[in-house]
Amino acid sequence: MNQIQIIKNNFVLNLKSFSIFRNSIRYLVLLPILILNLSLFAEEPTTPTPNLVVGNSLPEINYTNQWEEPSPIPLETTKVIFISDMDASKIIHPILEKEGKGYLEGKQAVLISDIHKMPSLITKFVALPKMKSYPYTLRLVREEKIADPFPRTKGSLTLIQLKAGKITKIQITNLETEIRSFLETPQGK
């Protein structure tokens, strides 16, 4: 073999080695990304919380109100209004502010708001100061998954009718007339 042929063969071998090295690096870079993606799809084993249905009781949740005080649901409660998002809150708060202090209690109703998705700084410096100005008690859910059993639709309120602590009716609405009817209708009608 002549000198030129040897150089040419070495060059081809070096190119093949470089190509193998480049592909190896590519796989080494892609492997952690693949592992990360697979771990994102892994689910933690959880015990499913049953959804609220007619005949069941409300889940026992240790609510606090907007003044950071424990606020259990009174035994005589016959109506529960559940707020799951900001759009739903914009429906109910004007109604209740117009009615004033003692309105919910007079209707044997409670208001529950799921605020766990709200950023903590917004909760602390914006939302809670606003909530403290409300003339009614707002029971707050601050932890993820606690309110999962409550049925919900974005932009609507969940209205739950109770009798002797058991759910007799569940309605989801964003209509003020239906909300007012729910609040004004005496128990058992």
Side-chain angles (χ1 to χ4, degrees), residues 5 10 19 42 58 70-71 111 119 139 143 152 156 164-165 176 179:
Q5 188 67 29
N10 281 341
S19 177
L58 288 176
S71 192
L111 187 61
R139 287 159 176 82
E143 297 173 30
R152 68 194 72 208
S156 294
E176 183 176 342
I179 297 162

Side-chain angles (χ1 to χ4, degrees), residues 15-27:
L15 276 179
K16 285 181 182 177
S17 296
F18 177 74
S19 177
I20 291 170
F21 174 75
R22 187 184 67 207
N23 286 338
S24 298
I25 293 296
R26 183 180 312 154
Y27 291 122

Side-chain angles (χ1 to χ4, degrees), residues 164-180:
K166 300 286 185 191
I167 299 169
T168 59
K169 182 179 178 184
I170 300 173
Q171 176 184 359
I172 297 176
T173 186
N174 59 10
L175 301 175
E176 183 176 342
T177 55
E178 291 181 358
I179 297 162
R180 285 195 176 278

